[in-house]
Amino acid sequence: MTDPREQTTAVTDLALAGAALLAIRRLRGPAGWRRRIWQAAFALLAASGVLGAIVHGLRLSPSTRERLWQPLNVLLALIIALFATAAVSDRWGERTGQRVLPALALAAPGFAWLSRRLQRGFLAFIIYELVAMVSALAIYADLARRRQLPGADRMTLGILVTIAAAGIQTSSLEVVIGEIPFDHNGLFHLVQLAALPLLVEGVRKSL
């Protein structure tokens, strides 16, 4: 039988996928570069949630699980690349964002591949995420302080919660909520679910 903690992680993965689909719906509107970037990021988040639910929720052979982790890591790396592109676009303009996107998108699969080859690959991936998130935090905090971008304050809060989620991801924290066990992966998803509304509403306000 699959570990109950893996089952709850799978459920929270699906919840994250559902929230990402709702985010795409919330961001519907006139076509534009920034809107497309954010919707693409949330689409990849939804896909990674479904794939994560499969990896955590089903009884798979080690080889199958390993094969599924590779595209999952690529999806996660691409989400971070799109997030960074959006932050660059908001700070330095869409043209700059369009210039950096190809490099970030091409680097993401390479980093995902490298992270799977390292002894503590996922820790390396979390560091990659934290570097991107801290950079985005600095950008949106500055934009909020200068009042140059509507919604930047909410996005700053959303990024702070995301960074907290990443910290939980690297821990060995486990809790039981109402007799339901959560390991660090499930808790990471729960905290990330709290960050999404802040990010989405901030983005909506900025578009």
Side-chain angles (χ1 to χ4, degrees):
M1 183 176 178
T2 306
D3 188 329
R5 294 168 299 181
E6 288 288 281
Q7 291 293 302
T8 54
T9 296
V11 171
T12 54
D13 256 319
L14 290 176
L16 201 55
L21 292 175
L22 287 175
I24 295 171
R25 182 180 178 85
R26 288 286 290 167
L27 295 179
R28 288 189 305 180
W33 161 260
R34 292 174 58 250
R35 192 185 304 275
R36 290 196 300 270
I37 289 295
W38 281 111
Q39 287 183 319
F42 288 123
L44 292 179
L45 180 59
S48 69
V50 172
L51 188 54
I54 293 172
V55 170
H56 288 288
L58 300 182
R59 296 184 65 181
L60 304 171
S61 67
S63 60
T64 299
R65 186 180 295 270
E66 177 64 24
R67 284 195 296 270
L68 290 176
W69 267 115
Q70 294 175 13
L72 180 56
N73 276 349
V74 171
L75 286 174
L76 294 173
L78 286 172
I79 293 167
I80 295 171
L82 289 174
F83 197 103
T85 298
V88 168
S89 298
D90 286 337
R91 179 62 181 85
W92 290 286
E94 292 183 6
R95 183 169 297 180
T96 302
Q98 291 167 355
R99 285 200 295 264
V100 302
L101 176 58
L104 291 173
L106 288 173
F111 190 91
W113 176 86
L114 178 63
S115 71
R116 296 301 296 169
R117 295 300 181 270
L118 298 177
Q119 185 176 4
R120 299 192 67 187
F122 202 72
L123 177 59
F125 187 88
I126 290 296
I127 293 172
Y128 167 62
E129 179 186 14
L130 282 175
V131 169
M133 290 297 103
V134 170
S135 299
L137 176 64
I139 288 173
Y140 286 113
D142 183 61
L143 290 172
R145 181 180 65 84
R146 296 171 181 268
R147 298 183 179 179
Q148 291 183 344
L149 182 73
D153 53 346
R154 295 185 186 183
M155 296 169 75
T156 300
L157 289 175
I159 294 169
L160 282 171
V161 177
T162 297
I163 291 173
I168 292 173
Q169 179 76 61
T170 63
S171 73
S172 57
L173 183 63
E174 294 186 13
V175 300
V176 177
I177 303 175
E179 299 185 358
I180 301 175
F182 291 87
D183 64 8
H184 60 286
N185 290 313
L187 292 171
F188 164 72
H189 295 150
L190 290 179
V191 176
Q192 192 62 62
L193 281 168
L196 275 184
L198 293 168
L199 290 170
V200 173
E201 294 311 309
V203 173
R204 284 188 75 240
K205 197 172 180 180
S206 72
L207 294 175

